Amino acid sequence: MAVKGLKKGVFITFEGAEGCGKSTHSKLLCGHIEAMGYTCVHTREPGGTSSGELIREVLLHSKDVEISDLSELFLFEACRSQIVKEVIIPSLAKKAIVICDRFSDATFSYQGYGGKVPLNIIKKLDDVATGGLKPDLTILLDVDTLTGLRRARRKGVDRMENKDLAYHRRVRAGYLKLAKLDPKRIRVIKVDGSIEKTQESVRREVDIVIQRYKRAG
Ligand code: TMP
């Protein structure tokens, strides 16, 4: 099938607290986008580049290693700086649809609201790491904290999932606050039904954005 054209690349991010099903839904969405004839680049944070995947190991799977709140922030932003330069900007320049599991909103919600690092510090660093790049659309999958954590912890517990319940409750509330501040970009989808029903809602939001940037004809 010929690849369909867009007026510009489209940048879509998936966000949500632990166990919200974001990887399942972003993968399904990518399949849907390709089936429509568009080029889709699917990536994730932390990770998505060779150095980013190495840093991901440190952030999520290092044991008995002290990582301060600020070091954690720098490591997430280091990953971001790399993926923006190596993957996201070049793909958007080719007018692809880029789907990234997590991006800046995760840092504000986890390190900011969850970890209590001042939001103005995060904003400064994040602006440097992203060069000001913002998603065209962010899908926030909102799940009850305990339900999500239980689901996530079934696969084993990483360093972030291991943080306490109060931390994860602040993360969820932080995400919802960000969505209230930017309701046009961040679309909240409640995860309380079947995968099919949630995916239908995801596609509805994405189709609106694709229509906006579709080439005529
Ligand atoms: P995930 O790939 O399963 O979503 O795991 C990534 C973990 O890293 C998750 O617990 C959220 C966390 N995270 C942050 O704390 N800050 C960030 O900026 C990003 C991108 C992820």
Side-chain angles (χ1 to χ4, degrees), residues 18 22 45-46 56 60 72 76 80 102-103 106-107 110-111 158 160 167:
E18 304 302 323
K22 115 197 106 32
E45 270 205 41
R56 180 184 176 94
L60 302 187
E72 189 180 284
F76 278 115
R80 186 157 305 136
R102 299 197 186 281
F103 197 63
T107 316
Y110 278 81
Q111 282 63 54
D158 66 33
M160 297 304 291
Y167 177 96

Side-chain angles (χ1 to χ4, degrees), residues 69-214:
D69 289 345
L70 266 186
S71 305
E72 189 180 284
L73 171 64
F74 283 121
L75 290 172
F76 278 115
E77 293 294 353
C79 279
R80 186 157 305 136
S81 164
Q82 190 66 34
I83 200 174
V84 165
K85 181 167 186 266
E86 197 178 318
V87 180
I88 301 177
I89 295 283
S91 305
L92 292 176
K94 290 183 196 148
K95 300 187 181 171
I97 296 176
V98 178
I99 298 181
C100 192
D101 291 4
R102 299 197 186 281
F103 197 63
S104 304
D105 298 307
T107 316
F108 285 96
S109 300
Y110 278 81
Q111 282 63 54
Y113 291 102
K116 301 185 179 170
V117 175
L119 298 182
N120 63 328
I121 293 182
I122 297 182
K123 169 130 185 38
K124 269 189 206 151
L125 275 181
D126 196 66
D127 282 349
V128 175
T130 61
L133 177 71
K134 297 246 165 3
D136 295 291
L137 170 70
T138 296
I139 301 285
L140 171 53
L141 297 175
D142 182 51
V143 69
D144 167 71
T145 308
L146 264 183
T147 312
L149 267 179
R150 268 196 213 113
R151 198 185 292 161
R153 284 174 177 167
R154 259 185 244 142
K155 294 182 233 149
V157 179
D158 66 33
R159 206 181 63 81
M160 297 304 291
E161 288 158 354
N162 205 24
K163 297 190 189 256
D164 63 26
L165 184 59
Y167 177 96
H168 288 287
R169 289 212 156 110
R170 289 198 298 277
V171 170
R172 182 191 184 195
Y175 268 130
L176 292 173
K177 207 178 238 177
L178 294 178
K180 268 215 169 116
L181 292 172
D182 196 354
K184 251 182 101 179
R185 173 177 67 84
I186 306 181
R187 309 296 297 164
V188 183
I189 296 175
K190 288 248 166 286
V191 181
D192 54 8
S194 64
I195 291 185
E196 289 75 19
K197 188 177 142 245
T198 305
Q199 179 65 200
E200 223 173 83
S201 309
V202 169
R203 288 181 187 180
R204 212 172 300 130
E205 295 294 345
V206 170
D207 286 341
I208 294 170
V209 176
I210 292 181
Q211 287 304 322
R212 201 184 302 153
Y213 297 115
K214 220 162 102 173

